[in-house]
Amino acid sequence: MIPKNMTIKDIARESGYSVSTVSRVLNNHPDVSEGAKEAVARVVEQNRFVLNSMARLLKQQQSTNILIIVKGTMNIFFTKIVEKMQHLISVHGYNAVVHYIDEDDDEVRLAGQLCRERKSLGLIFLGGNIEHFKQGFDQIDQPAVLTTTLTDELTFDHLSLVGINDADAAQMAIDYLLDHGHRQIGIIGGHTKSSYISKQRFTGCRNSFTAHGLDFDASQYQKANFHLDSAYRAAKELMARKPDLTALFCMSDVMAIGAMRALTELGKKIPQDVSVIGFDGIELGRYYNPQLTTIAQPQMELAEESVNLLIDHIEQQSKARTIILNVGLTEGESVRMIEH
Amino acid sequence: MIPKNMTIKDIARESGYSVSTVSRVLNNHPDVSEGAKEAVARVVEQNRFVLNSMARLLKQQQSTNILIIVKGTMNIFFTKIVEKMQHLISVHGYNAVVHYIDEDDDEVRLAGQLCRERKSLGLIFLGGNIEHFKQGFDQIDQPAVLTTTLTDELTFDHLSLVGINDADAAQMAIDYLLDHGHRQIGIIGGHTKSSYISKQRFTGCRNSFTAHGLDFDASQYQKANFHLDSAYRAAKELMARKPDLTALFCMSDVMAIGAMRALTELGKKIPQDVSVIGFDGIELGRYYNPQLTTIAQPQMELAEESVNLLIDHIEQQSKARTIILNVGLTEGESVRMIEH
DNA sequence: GTCACAGCTGGAAACGTTACCAGAAACGTT
DNA sequence: AACGTTTCTGGTAACGTTTCCAGCTGTGAC
């Protein structure tokens, strides 16, 4: 039997109470008799009645929605963070709505639109470009948290920032390789023009070389797009161009896995012939063969801090803040020491 | 500057037209003059006005929402399917809303509730238990597609089914190992009591042994929960109990990766010492070292068929159907032939 | 007997939109 | 000149809630 769409009015009629009372029962308001509660509950139960959230939201003029906007295709790294965020948000009694938007959508504009249209309480933006927000964030009139790469302590009016310092983190990776005696180092990363994160990490790499008094030559850098296959091809190209590389830094663990496959196919043993270091610290890296050495981002903390900041902002009207989290280096089996 | 919340009335006033006309412009209705279009568009642009979707949905009595409900924690296999579904749904002009619900939530009840509350057009259920739906699916009054493991050609009134035959697929895996000369075979899978999929695949395994005139002994089976770490531990336990195993079937690729790591740590070479076959056919398997041999589910087709079926159902009121897709065996490097 | 007050209830006005209806104006067609 | 017809427009009743306000009863205090 398919229950037809009932309204609160039908419940009122069937239970013998008024619309107001039914509404009060359904919202657990205090001033309502036990009799009414029971009668209404019975009818609701019988008909599996559910309030129309459109009408309710329209009337209340605000939802309990918190938007999570993720830029770019899903990847295993973001997915983990989103999952944690969703969980935390629902624990706080809110509703998480996730939106995946295209890499080339105007994130800021779209975000503002979605927010206003859905009357959400706030939004968390994952993987957005801080540069875009700098100019356009006033289009968003809800509290927002931007969870992405950060450099300096920017502060905005109602935009909080949570992230790591990607430049420093990447520098840590190259430092590690250099300290292990590697001098012929290849780098696989994103497009430094279009991807702000890649640009930051690229800067970090260069800083490391400079700090060690070494040159960094563009031919060491190979572009890929953060996918397995793209990194796989990039690694093959790079090795063809620079066969004497002894180490590879990949700007994501997923890319590191793609690259490692390529190296294996080329007959290169890891780390005996070529060392590999990744970035992100996904769980999978520890299960790869060999275990991946990587720069580990604090995934859970990124999620926690973002959600906490946003909810504080919503509930306490607290000021926007900027939180920069630390990364760590997880040693696996994919980097070896070179003796000179 | 934070634009205050405007309504269509404000736009009407500022543009000098009536509410009706503004509404018509915003909805691209035909009967409206160029002058009106321009005037309204200008005011809308100026104030970055966005229609209140609550009000609109309330009035229209239906949304363009299609719910995707995913049971259990996100995993790399489902994620890929969800991504594809979302994309297809938005291509068709609908709105995909993804909900992740807990393993132990009453999926059917929750689904019905969400659907009615949000007035969604339909829902796709990923990873649900068909047994639950058998008894409770009449709680759902929207067209629905259940994308999960299937056995026989069940037909429901407004519930379509898309899936593979997990028993046959698992049988294929064991057949493959047996045909490669393996006789000491371990299996890592989920709880056959609580996980319907695991139960199906378990049945398939047993069928294979029986068909080959072999016994299948419970000690060959080790329970895990479809996560890396759980499979890792399971593999270690299983190998401790049955050190002479020459092959391992894992009921998901992710578990296979967890298990392979365990084997590597135990000093077992894959496939020289132990062969491993997985299930799912995730992209990552091809990049693992060694490449994973696996039963490949048609991920993209699962997504496509599910979405097509649902949209057909919504738009054409077509009858519910059941589609069983074929799996394939992807040969990697993780299974070797044993000569007797 | 009046008053204050609590506990409970129903009526009705919003919330912001859409869609129906009616009507005005302009234009052809007879 | 009378008429359909097309093109455009504005008024307004819904949609299903919540919430304010007012009212009713009963109770206890003076």
Side-chain angles (χ1 to χ4, degrees), chain A residues 19-271:
Chain A
V19 177
S20 321
T21 304
V22 174
S23 172
R24 275 188 285 255
V25 172
L26 292 171
N27 291 285
N28 290 316
H29 279 233
D31 286 348
V32 53
S33 68
E34 285 305 316
K37 270 184 203 163
E38 271 173 38
V40 171
R42 215 193 50 243
V43 180
V44 165
E45 191 59 32
Q46 264 173 22
N47 301 76
R48 297 206 211 91
F49 170 74
V50 182
L51 276 176
N52 180 325
S53 66
M54 308 308 162
R56 151 180 269 221
L57 262 39
L58 171 61
K59 179 62 196 177
Q60 297 191 148
Q61 287 296 78
Q62 65 156 2
S63 66
T64 57
N65 282 354
I66 289 179
L67 237 56
I68 301 178
I69 299 184
V70 186
K71 182 141 182 175
T73 52
M74 287 187 188
N75 66 64
I76 199 170
F77 176 71
F78 277 168
T79 300
K80 209 83 193 159
I81 295 183
V82 170
E83 188 175 16
K84 182 75 178 173
M85 284 179 173
Q86 280 190 307
H87 182 242
L88 290 170
I89 286 172
S90 74
V91 163
H92 278 87
Y94 297 93
N95 213 300
V97 180
V98 188
H99 262 268
Y100 295 88
I101 69 173
D102 274 355
E103 191 73 60
D104 40 311
D105 281 340
D106 178 350
E107 57 217 67
V108 185
R109 183 172 184 75
L110 214 61
Q113 197 167 319
L114 275 167
C115 235
R116 236 166 307 172
E117 185 184 316
R118 303 294 191 98
K119 291 270 173 294
S120 18
L121 289 174
L123 66 89
I124 296 179
F125 213 102
L126 205 54
N129 184 334
I130 199 173
E131 302 279 330
H132 294 179
F133 277 85
K134 263 189 210 162
Q135 329 155 335
F137 83 103
D138 63 340
Q139 294 190 9
I140 298 167
D141 34 342
Q142 271 84 8
V145 174
L146 179 54
T147 308
T148 187
T149 184
L150 300 175
T151 40
D152 19 78
E153 287 260 1
L154 284 165
T155 22
F156 294 112
D157 197 21
H158 56 276
L159 180 67
S160 288
L161 303 173
V162 177
I164 62 164
N165 186 322
D166 277 275
D168 290 356
Q171 183 165 358
M172 192 186 285
I174 303 293
D175 282 352
Y176 184 80
L177 292 178
L178 290 172
D179 293 350
H180 277 67
H182 294 277
R183 286 300 173 270
Q184 300 302 319
I185 298 176
I187 298 173
I188 295 180
H191 288 65
T192 50
K193 293 252 167 50
S194 59
S195 157
Y196 187 68
I197 291 189
S198 298
K199 188 174 150 199
Q200 290 301 313
R201 295 187 188 165
F202 184 85
T203 305
C205 294
R206 210 180 33 213
N207 291 347
S208 174
F209 285 111
T210 313
H212 283 75
L214 297 167
D215 278 347
F216 178 40
D217 155 21
S219 70
Q220 296 172 249
Y221 193 79
Q222 183 72 38
K223 286 189 204 108
N225 69 5
F226 287 84
H227 284 82
L228 282 168
D229 57 335
S230 161
Y232 169 87
R233 288 194 305 270
K236 288 222 164 161
E237 258 183 65
L238 188 56
M239 292 308 292
R241 198 167 68 229
K242 301 219 132 201
D244 53 346
L245 291 182
T246 66
L248 213 52
F249 167 47
C250 298
M251 288 194 185
S252 84
D253 285 351
V254 167
M255 289 206 288
I257 289 173
M260 286 197 287
R261 177 71 212 169
L263 291 173
T264 303
E265 287 185 10
L266 291 170
K268 303 279 187 187
K269 291 252 173 293
I270 307 163

Side-chain angles (χ1 to χ4, degrees), chain B residues 8 23 27 49 52 56 59:
Chain B
I8 212 173
S23 172
N27 290 285
F49 170 73
N52 180 325
R56 153 180 267 223
K59 178 62 194 175

Side-chain angles (χ1 to χ4, degrees), chain B residues 293-311:
Chain B
T293 295
T294 191
I295 304 294
Q297 295 203 49
Q299 281 184 300
M300 294 303 104
E301 286 90 335
L302 282 170
E304 281 164 18
E305 294 292 356
S306 301
V307 172
N308 288 343
L309 231 50
L310 185 67
I311 290 183

Side-chain angles (χ1 to χ4, degrees), chain B residues 239-258:
Chain B
M239 292 309 290
R241 200 168 66 229
K242 300 221 132 200
D244 53 345
L245 292 182
T246 66
L248 212 53
F249 167 48
C250 298
M251 288 193 186
S252 85
D253 285 351
V254 167
M255 289 206 287
I257 289 174

Side-chain angles (χ1 to χ4, degrees), chain B residues 92-159:
Chain B
H92 278 87
Y94 297 93
N95 213 301
V97 180
V98 188
H99 262 266
Y100 295 87
I101 69 173
D102 274 355
E103 191 72 60
D104 39 310
D105 281 341
D106 178 350
E107 58 216 66
V108 185
R109 182 173 185 76
L110 214 60
Q113 195 168 321
L114 275 167
C115 235
R116 238 167 305 172
E117 184 184 318
R118 304 292 192 98
K119 291 268 172 295
S120 16
L121 288 174
L123 65 90
I124 296 179
F125 212 103
L126 205 54
N129 184 334
I130 198 173
E131 301 280 330
H132 293 179
F133 276 85
K134 263 189 211 163
Q135 329 156 334
F137 83 102
D138 62 340
Q139 295 192 7
I140 297 166
D141 35 340
Q142 271 83 9
V145 175
L146 179 55
T147 308
T148 186
T149 184
L150 299 176
T151 40
D152 19 77
E153 287 260 1
L154 285 165
T155 21
F156 293 112
D157 197 22
H158 55 276
L159 180 68

